[in-house]
């Protein structure tokens, strides 16, 4: 199979891209029914291209009762009718590729919706029969007691009784999302078919949703089991067999030591999220101290050269605090989610801009860290304009409101009646679409959107950010985060002042003595580095990217 000639032929492409994450439902409604759709998204591809990102991660768009925003799939190989047709999807892929933008989609393999025909057949089939064994059943609800409950706010057990089956079924997430039984070879084959189906349409890769939980074994916590890794290797062999330049991204919300197992020997996933880094960036900002970031990076093992971390500030879920200590969680809740309704499960259901009280300086600082730490950055739709959230909406819908395009009705997202919209757009004086939208930020040269375009484009000009090595630089001042990225003959010194006050620091840079650092946004030369500590001053929450070239 040849790759699309408009996309450059490089198996490591995922190291160089900036990913934009979006839900088709929330982006742009082309047929005025209140839901975003693929024709609408295709119309907005120019916007995405101009932002400078070159990969789109699409949240689930398959037929679904939408009780978990589409992660509850009832048919793996079709498009939800609200979002358009298969032809619309093909057109979208073609148009994205034409612009050099790759598209990754969701492979939600751990569970289906209880409305999926596989589950409906399984619950009606005879106990112990082939069909029943597509899911995980038990006569009692005491098996696998060491498996934690993930959706603590809504579920009491990982088992739910099914009247028609007269057995309990196993689910790691909502009770309406039964887990598939991967001990059954038929299930494995079915998943390989699903994967091939979307590859043949042209998607460039898959986010493997909830990947640690595929198998259940007594006496374990049912996470990261050897059987899971064997299955991912099987999927990867299939991915590599007929296709070039495709990607697996592991969603494993685990500590780095467990996550790196998902890279295998470069024979499992190409990328994995660095979940524990994200809350520590916010912690460092609030504590005005680089320690939490330094500490988690020190605990991050090296990964194979052809693998990559995926890093992010916010996404469609809660800002997860699963991978921090109970004390750190309490700190984060107090610092960033003072009101009870800002919290869900073990996390915080707020967007980036409200988390930092709409401080432009802090949004810029956080993005400068996101775009320069080792890994491929992911930007959540709307965060490029500093969109707000609606903490009154249930589940994690607080951060899934319609994209704000203009001051027009419904924020330019849809011409439908307000009551038909999938969710209300934001309308308050600070975050509402009248005050905050793409159109006005395009007109305003000092807007966050323009700033985001500039920093993304700067990153895109230097491969060092995606591919370079990473090393902390010793700083006399704990409030200054300092690290160096190096690739071939390029070194970039990244400095971030985590404090809200001006600071100065002495940096140990003697190995670069003789070099004159050049600030990358404005091309201004700084004073030359000598054998002595390098003295540098900072404005509140300011950052520098300094090119060190001999
Ligand atoms: C997704 C969530 C979803 C969960 C269960 C997660 O990994 O990111 O949005 O609720 O899987 O499907």
């Amino acid at each position: 199979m040849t790759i699309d000639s408009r996309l450059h032929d490089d198996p490591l492409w995922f190291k160089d891209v900036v990913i934009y994450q979006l839900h088709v439902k929330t982006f742009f409604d082309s047929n005025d029914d209140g839901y975003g759709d693929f024709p609408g998204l295709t119309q907005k591809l120019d916007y995405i291209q101009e932002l400078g990102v070159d990969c789109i991660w699409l949240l689930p768009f398959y037929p679904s009762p939408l009780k978990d925003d589409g992660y509850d799939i009832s048919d793996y190989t079709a498009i939800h009718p609200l979002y358009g047709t298969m032809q619309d999807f093909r057109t979208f892929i073609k148009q994205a590729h034409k612009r050099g933008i790759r598209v990754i989609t969701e492979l939600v393999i751990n569970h289906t919706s209880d409305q999926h025909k596989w589950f409906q057949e399984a619950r009606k089939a005879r106990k112990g029969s082939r069909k029943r064994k597509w899911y995980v059943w038990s006569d009692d609800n005491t098996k696998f007691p060491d498996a934690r409950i993930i959706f603590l706010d809504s579920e009491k057990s990982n088992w739910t009784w099914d009247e028609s089956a007269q057995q309990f079924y196993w689910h790691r997430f909502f009770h309406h999302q039964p887990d598939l039984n991967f001990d059954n070879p038929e299930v494995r084959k079915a998943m390989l078919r699903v994967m091939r189906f979307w590859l043949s349409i042209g998607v460039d890769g898959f986010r493997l949703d909830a990947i640690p939980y595929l198998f259940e074994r007594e006496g374990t916590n049912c996470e990261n089991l050897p059987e899971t890794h064997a299955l991912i290797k099987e999927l990867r062999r299939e991915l590599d067999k007929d296709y070039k330049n495709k990607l697996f991204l592991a969603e494993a919300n685990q500590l780095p030591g467990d996550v790196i197992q998902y890279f295998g020997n470069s024979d499992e996933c190409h990328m994995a999220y660095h979940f524990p880094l994200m809350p520590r960036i916010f912690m460092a900002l609030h504590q005005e101290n680089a320690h939490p970031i330094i500490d988690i990076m020190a605990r991050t093992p090296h990964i194979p050269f052809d693998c990559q971390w995926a890093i992010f500030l916010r996404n469609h879920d809660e800002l997860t605090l699963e991978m921090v200590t109970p004390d750190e969680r309490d700190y984060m809740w107090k610092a960033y989610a003072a009101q009870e309704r800002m919290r869900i499960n073990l996390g915080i259901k707020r967007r980036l801009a409200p988390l930092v009280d709409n401080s432009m300086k802090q949004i810029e600082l956080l993005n400068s860290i996101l775009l320069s730490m080792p890994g491929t950055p992911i930007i959540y739709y709307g965060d490029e304009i500093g969109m707000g959230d609606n903490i009154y909406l249930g589940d994690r819908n607080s951060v899934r409101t319609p994209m704000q395009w203009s001051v027009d009705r419904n924020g330019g997202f849809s011409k439908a009646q307000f009551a038909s919209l999938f969710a209300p757009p934001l309308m308050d004086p600070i975050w509402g679409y009248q005050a905050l939208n793409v159109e006005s930020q395009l007109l305003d040269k000092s807007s966050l959107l323009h700033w985001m375009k500039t920093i993304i484009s700067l990153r895109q000009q230097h491969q060092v950010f995606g591919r370079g090595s990473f090393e902390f630089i010793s700083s006399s001042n704990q409030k200054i985060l300092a690290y160096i990225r190096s690739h071939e003959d390029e070194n970039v010194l990244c400095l971030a002042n985590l404090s809200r006050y001006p600071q100065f620091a002495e940096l140990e840079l003697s190995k670069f003595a003789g070099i004159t650092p050049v600030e990358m946004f404005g091309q201004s030369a700084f004073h030359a580095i000598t054998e002595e500590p390098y003295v540098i001053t900072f404005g509140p929450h300011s950052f520098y990217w300094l090119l060190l070239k001999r």
Side-chain angles (χ1 to χ4, degrees), residues 68 71 111 151 173 177 207 209 251 316-317 396 400:
D68 183 15
Y71 281 96
H111 47 265
F151 284 168
F173 295 92
Q177 282 168 321
R207 170 185 184 266
D209 180 65
E251 195 229 1
H316 64 297
D317 286 329
R396 290 144 292 170
R400 300 170 179 173

Side-chain angles (χ1 to χ4, degrees), residues 21 57 59-60 68-72 106 108 110-111 150-151 172-174 177 207-211 213 251 275 315-318 395-396 400:
Q21 175 195 358
W57 154 25
L59 290 162
D68 183 15
D69 213 15
Y71 281 96
D72 47 333
E106 293 269 353
V108 185
N110 179 67
H111 47 265
I150 298 168
F151 284 168
R172 289 308 297 273
F173 295 92
F174 288 121
Q177 282 168 321
R207 170 185 184 266
L208 302 183
D209 180 65
I211 204 70
Y213 319 110
E251 195 229 1
F275 273 101
N315 62 20
H316 64 297
D317 286 329
E318 67 273 34
D395 198 354
R396 290 144 292 170
R400 300 170 179 173

Side-chain angles (χ1 to χ4, degrees), residues 148 212-213 221 223-224 251-260 262 273-276 322-323:
R148 70 193 163 112
Y213 319 110
N221 65 358
E223 298 184 15
N224 314 317
E251 195 229 1
N253 187 356
Q254 306 281 326
L255 289 171
D258 288 320
V259 179
I260 58 153
Y262 289 89
Y273 297 96
H274 199 317
F275 273 101
E322 281 169 77
M323 292 304 130

Side-chain angles (χ1 to χ4, degrees), residues 1-4 9 196 198-203 239-246:
M1 187 92 180
T2 55
I3 66 148
D4 195 309
D9 181 10
R196 277 195 300 265
W198 292 106
L199 287 169
S200 73
I201 291 184
V203 307
L239 184 77
D240 290 346
K241 201 165 75 176
D242 296 318
Y243 294 92
K244 269 176 86 182
N245 304 339
K246 300 294 177 189

Side-chain angles (χ1 to χ4, degrees), residues 314-333:
R314 287 298 296 114
N315 62 20
H316 64 297
D317 286 329
E318 67 273 34
L319 188 168
T320 168
L321 300 173
E322 281 169 77
M323 292 304 130
V324 299
T325 64
D327 283 350
E328 290 170 333
R329 192 174 304 134
D330 280 348
Y331 178 82
M332 284 291 288
W333 267 331

